[in-house]
Amino acid sequence: MNLAQPSSLTFVLFSVKLVLFLAIRFFRSTKQKGQLPPGPRGWPVIGNLAYLSLNRPTYLWLHDVMESMKTEIACFRFARVHVITVTSSEIAREVVRDRDEAFADRVESYSSNIISEGYKDVIFSFYGERWMLLKKMMVAKLMSPTMLKKSLSDRTLEADNIVAYVFNLCQLGCTKTKVNVRDITGIYCHAVMMVMMFGRRHFIEATENGNGLGPKEKEHMDAIYRSLDCFFSFNVTDYIPCLRGWNLNGKEAEVREAVDIINKCNDPIIHERMHLWRDKGGKETGEDWLDILITLKDDQGRFLFTYDEIRAQCKDINIATIDNTMNNVEWTIAEMLNHPEILEKATNELDMIVGKDRFVQESDIPQLNYIKACSRESFRLHPVNPFMLPHRAREDTTLAGYFVPKGSHILVSRLGLGQNPKIWDEPNVFKPERHLDGHGGNSLSVSLMEPDMRLVTFGTGRRGCLGSKIGISMTIMLLARLLQGFEWSHLPGTSKVDLIPADRNLFIAKSLLASVKPRLTQRMYPKLQTR
């Protein structure tokens, strides 16, 4: 969708009015009620806003400023908005655990408004009674132990299918086959998400290559990532709301286009299912998450969610079930290729716990401590985004003894926590063993959850990830299946993976390419199954 561009004269006049307006507001609000966290000096009125455009990617500049100031909490002022960044586990616990109600709001932005259908979802909506109802229903119905157990066979089938898919690629090649790891992880994650939400793997029909992503699924996946990149891109309009709708840097058009694609993929299924349940009486019991969202009723027997709310929850599920698992598994395999001794330990654990006569199951995950330690180490070193989703102060309050004005944005740094030298020895070294010695686990059990906030996996607290259990299961199952089923090595002529993150997000800048070959007997590999 192309948004109209303002004329030069109109833009100049508007800019003059805007500066005057901000100046008046600024000088009326310069008196603080307490000492703000330390931060860089800014210009009158605009504060540090100019640095957003001059320093890209912005997250690197924010962390560089904090490092130069030798602080684990900093305050940046973008126009009238105070943005407070945190790299300390103690302060992070204040935000998401000890005083999380004070910081339970979400920030307003053009991207979050578009993605959430006007804040009608769980991820981006503001704290209040409606949000609490949405969260309660999501936890009690969609993410309940009963529902997760019911969908276990679907997830296992997709784990079988991804092994069969890679095995078939190997059959087409010679001794070793080149594979794109990001493509493989994307196929699995998208398929699990689709089956659990819509009860089907494809939007239209199966692809010619079996269970790979078809054109519609690839378009859907790309749109999900573009919408997230726009949300995390630190736009000027995030801090000056009156500029929204002008598409000043093209991000508004980009996120609108991405969300339109997601909706065009999801909407026909939602419309068809709503017609089935609400007009024709539907079936006796629901079979997937969409059925549950559509059929839930309140105490008066009225349907609980509107079409827009269902549409928004579907986009939440699109976003939440894909990015973390894909990013973590790709980075973990990349690190293992650069550390063959770690790869060997992981496969040895699988051989010892599971053996070579059956494939790993979700029930084996509690015993796969070294593989969980490898995944946890990737979450520490290579998070999917530099920061957690922003929190917003609901009132004037304090954080780490500093004054935090109402409306401040609180950014807990995934990078800053995971690579903080005060928390971790040799913070830049991939060392899974660190999670087996009491740091995040012990010799009996390793957990991917992190309530102490020394790193971020799937989030915690009042606004934490509601699907952490399914996220952990997907991540470890995918990693374990790929390691158990195949031998992994560098491409011919190479001996090292370049571990360089992308600029827009923290995925590996170039999709990981590797050589694979089956490591089990041929009879072990399942055949592709279609739905």
Side-chain angles (χ1 to χ4, degrees), residues 279-503:
D279 298 332
K280 292 190 173 183
K283 298 166 286 189
E284 291 185 3
T285 58
E287 296 181 356
D288 53 46
W289 286 340
L290 181 59
D291 289 329
I292 295 173
L293 290 172
I294 291 173
T295 57
L296 280 174
K297 294 183 179 181
D298 61 19
D299 295 338
Q300 284 74 45
R302 296 171 299 193
F303 287 114
L304 195 60
F305 299 132
T306 66
Y307 167 73
D308 283 344
E309 288 173 327
I310 293 170
R311 201 185 198 200
Q313 305 314 318
C314 286
K315 283 200 287 292
D316 273 8
I317 294 169
N318 290 155
I319 291 169
T321 56
I322 290 178
D323 60 342
N324 238 358
T325 294
M326 280 185 63
N327 180 68
N328 183 263
V329 173
E330 185 177 20
W331 272 112
T332 304
I333 293 177
E335 288 280 10
M336 286 179 168
L337 288 172
N338 283 356
H339 299 86
E341 73 283 359
I342 293 176
L343 177 58
E344 183 179 6
K345 286 183 181 179
T347 53
N348 286 343
E349 179 182 64
L350 283 162
D351 291 342
M352 182 178 66
I353 300 296
V354 181
K356 295 186 176 182
D357 294 327
R358 67 177 179 86
F359 270 106
V360 61
Q361 304 295 320
E362 285 190 16
S363 57
D364 296 310
I365 290 176
Q367 301 179 72
L368 299 177
N369 287 315
Y370 191 74
I371 287 178
K372 286 186 290 184
C374 292
S375 175
R376 184 179 163 91
E377 183 71 343
S378 283
F379 276 118
R380 182 189 71 81
L381 261 181
H382 309 295
V384 67
N385 280 297
F387 296 99
M388 295 177 64
L389 284 170
H391 291 247
R392 187 174 67 167
R394 302 176 61 223
E395 57 195 17
D396 285 349
T397 185
T398 60
L399 182 61
Y402 293 104
F403 174 65
V404 175
K406 178 181 179 180
S408 297
H409 298 186
I410 316 299
L411 299 179
V412 175
S413 172
R414 293 172 178 258
L415 277 176
L417 293 175
Q419 299 179 27
N420 190 331
K422 294 182 180 179
I423 302 173
W424 306 101
D425 294 330
E426 298 181 290
N428 297 319
V429 177
F430 187 82
K431 189 166 64 174
E433 288 77 11
R434 73 173 82 238
H435 304 289
L436 298 170
D437 62 0
H439 296 286
N442 53 54
S443 59
L444 298 177
S445 178
V446 174
S447 173
L448 260 68
M449 297 307 294
E450 181 52 46
D452 290 336
M453 294 302 293
R454 291 174 299 114
L455 75 159
V456 180
T457 54
F458 290 90
T460 188
R462 196 177 300 247
R463 297 303 297 249
C465 177
L466 303 182
S468 57
K469 289 183 179 179
I470 184 66
I472 291 170
S473 295
M474 288 175 61
T475 302
I476 302 303
M477 268 293 282
L478 176 58
L479 178 59
R481 283 291 185 104
L482 293 178
L483 296 180
Q484 183 189 22
F486 306 95
E487 292 183 9
W488 294 84
S489 58
H490 293 284
L491 294 178
T494 64
S495 59
K496 186 178 180 180
V497 177
D498 290 329
L499 303 179
I500 301 173
D503 286 337

Side-chain angles (χ1 to χ4, degrees), residues 2-20:
N2 294 322
L3 303 181
Q5 300 289 334
S7 67
S8 299
L9 179 59
T10 302
F11 182 75
V12 170
L13 292 175
F14 181 83
S15 299
V16 172
K17 292 180 180 179
L18 175 63
V19 170
L20 291 174

